[in-house]
């Protein structure tokens, strides 16, 4: 298998690329198309077609008229964070509430539910 290998080709020294000379008067890829005259076509008329009449009262309103009022509406997300307006509030039980639920079992659960806090996972704000 080592006998089938060809000897390595000798590397030629690096040659600089040829100098750039812009093409002169060539038509082809990348060439700028000629400019066509727009009013020398036979049968072409500029402007509105013959017999065209604009609609009465269809003019654009003049500028500087009445000011435009922009009304914005506030969207209130139920359960959304009032501080950052991005996160959704989650219920967290306080340590004292959990201790009351364990120590005073039947009535402690009511205390635990009454002592929960709402916390935003986005900004970390706590609302009691």
């Amino acid at each position: 298998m080592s006998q089938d290998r060809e000897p390595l080709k000798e590397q030629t020294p690096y040659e600089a690329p040829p100098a750039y000379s812009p093409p002169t008067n060539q038509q082809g890829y990348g060439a700028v198309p000629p400019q066509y005259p727009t009013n020398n076509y036979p049968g072409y008329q500029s402007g509105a077609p013959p017999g065209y009449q604009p609609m009465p009262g269809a003019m654009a309103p003049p500028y500087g008229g009445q000011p435009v009022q922009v009304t914005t509406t506030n969207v209130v997300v139920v359960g959304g964070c009032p501080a950052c307006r991005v996160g959704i509030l989650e219920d967290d039980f306080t340590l004292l509430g959990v201790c009351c639920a364990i120590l005073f079992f039947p009535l402690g659960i009511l205390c635990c539910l009454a002592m929960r806090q709402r916390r935003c996972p986005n900004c970390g704000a706590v609302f009691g």
Side-chain angles (χ1 to χ4, degrees), residues 4-28:
D4 296 334
R5 293 186 185 171
E6 295 179 15
L8 295 174
K9 295 180 181 178
E10 293 182 18
Q11 294 182 352
T12 58
Y14 176 77
E15 296 177 12
Y20 174 74
S21 60
T24 57
N25 298 331
Q26 288 183 344
Q27 293 292 331

Side-chain angles (χ1 to χ4, degrees), residues 62-104:
Y63 291 104
Q66 297 177 352
V68 178
Q69 287 184 337
V70 178
T71 59
T72 59
T73 57
N74 292 334
V75 178
V76 178
V77 178
V78 176
C81 177
C84 68
R85 298 179 191 260
V86 175
I88 305 241
L89 297 177
E90 297 176 349
D91 287 335
D92 287 338
F93 297 107
T94 61
L95 181 64
L96 183 61
V98 173
C99 290
C100 285
I102 293 172
L103 295 176
F104 310 109

Side-chain angles (χ1 to χ4, degrees), residues 48 51-59:
Y52 173 78
Q53 294 179 3
M55 289 180 42
M59 295 174 33

